[in-house]
Amino acid sequence: MPKKITPIAISNFPNVSTNCFGFGIGNTTPVRKSEDLYVLDHHLPIAEAFLKKLTEMGYDELPRQIQSVDEAKDGEFVIMVFDFTEYPVNHPFMGWEIHWDYHVVRRELNGTWVHKPGWDEQPCEIHTEAEWNAIRDEFGHEYVLFAVAGN
């Protein structure tokens, strides 16, 4: 049987330690921050890196890339993947190194936008322009969109 992405509505998502990627695709396997399950290859364009990671994780039914939210069909979730952001991290005794981050936001079937702000935080709705601006301030304005069928 094919392994498909199965987003879970925010109201049904269990309290598990995972990041925005896990939430976005409906993967409820708890993951520690130190594990690299959701690390994307920042040398690739974000869309390619996202699809490559899904393939590596064993998904054989991948979401289709769309150019606009309007291209999503009724009954499809929209997954918005913000492009890589570079940020420096100063480790005690190890010095500075560069990390790359991205963010996944999802549109529910009812049109509400949701995301999981952090590993140990519960998913939440995005209601205001101020909340969108906070995401853009951290991750920029560049993103790609994917559509995936709901259950």
Side-chain angles (χ1 to χ4, degrees):
M1 186 155 127
K3 184 175 177 182
K4 318 179 351 179
I5 295 171
T6 53
I8 299 169
I10 191 171
S11 58
N12 295 326
F13 198 80
N15 185 9
V16 295
S17 183
T18 189
N19 69 354
C20 60
F21 187 111
F23 169 70
I25 65 171
N27 189 331
T28 59
T29 304
V31 179
R32 290 188 309 270
K33 291 179 193 178
S34 61
E35 293 181 274
D36 67 353
L37 179 64
Y38 300 124
V39 173
L40 302 184
D41 183 349
H42 69 272
H43 297 98
L44 298 173
I46 191 69
E48 191 177 332
F50 182 71
L51 293 173
K52 178 183 175 192
K53 178 53 73 173
L54 290 171
T55 301
E56 289 171 355
M57 292 173 67
Y59 290 96
D60 37 24
E61 288 191 20
L62 299 176
R64 65 185 174 86
Q65 189 170 354
I66 56 177
Q67 300 305 309
S68 145
V69 173
D70 297 333
E71 293 178 35
K73 300 172 185 163
D74 286 342
E76 286 186 320
F77 289 91
V78 174
I79 299 173
M80 176 184 282
V81 184
F82 281 84
D83 204 351
F84 292 110
T85 302
E86 176 183 329
Y87 63 98
V89 175
N90 189 7
H91 295 287
F93 309 110
M94 293 173 51
W96 289 93
E97 67 180 28
I98 299 297
H99 284 238
W100 298 88
D101 204 3
Y102 61 92
H103 194 57
V104 176
V105 175
R106 190 181 72 214
R107 189 181 75 171
E108 301 284 77
L109 297 178
N110 67 7
T112 304
W113 287 95
V114 296
H115 73 137
K116 192 167 188 310
W119 284 89
D120 298 323
E121 297 178 56
Q122 279 298 101
C124 61
E125 294 182 359
I126 303 169
H127 294 288
T128 67
E129 191 60 29
E131 291 169 318
W132 277 109
N133 286 338
I135 292 169
R136 288 182 198 110
D137 287 347
E138 186 169 354
F139 297 100
H141 293 266
E142 301 295 320
Y143 58 83
V144 293
L145 299 169
F146 296 93
V148 62
N151 300 330

